[in-house]
Amino acid sequence: MARGRVVIVPGNGAGDVEHANWYGWLRDKLIERGVDCVLKNMPDPVMAREEVWLPYMEKQLNCNENTVVVGHSSGAEAAMRYAEKHSVLGLVLVSACVTDLGDPTEEASGYYNRPWQWEQIKQNTQWIVQFGSTDDPFIAFSEQQQVAEGTLAEFHQFSNKGHFMSRAFPELMNILMNKLLTS
């Protein structure tokens, strides 16, 4: 039996998350397999400010020690910052980075204004899986590698997935189901 529940935290600016990227597809596939999965439009969807998203993850999405947080892009940074102070079952980080990439919107989000607390993230999670692609047009692969090194994530590297904005993501689904069944 699968253990835990899954909360999908999208990237900023994704629009209606039900129909953006692979989010709705993943939720539906997990529910088909009996996994409780939450996918909701986030407040402050363009700026994705930490001061808005992290309390929402705690109080509205009920992320806790039985939750796997699947974060994409800005959602991955939110997941990491959340895990610095809250216990979660696991993290799945997709297109994660460590700096604001020189983007004023990313800078304003608040995720990048202090060092990452890698040890706290590792202590507050049972496992971390990361997906990155060398051809990501937004995030340098070196940034993705820094996340993998800091978190000691199980890092799945691709050269042809870009920013992981496809309609389906079977690689993530398969690995996540395996983690849910064995953790």
Side-chain angles (χ1 to χ4, degrees), residues 68-98:
V68 175
V69 180
V70 176
H72 177 225
S73 197
S74 295
E77 283 76 73
M80 291 188 295
R81 287 296 185 196
Y82 189 83
E84 286 178 344
K85 295 186 175 156
H86 301 89
S87 291
V88 295
L89 181 60
L91 294 177
V92 178
L93 309 172
V94 182
S95 292
C97 64
V98 294

Side-chain angles (χ1 to χ4, degrees), residues 1 7 22 36 40-41 48 73 92 103 113 137 147 151 156 171:
M1 188 72 176
V7 171
W22 42 265
D36 179 18
K40 295 186 182 218
N41 286 314
S73 197
V92 178
D103 182 296
N113 60 8
V147 172
T151 62
H156 297 268
E171 298 90 348

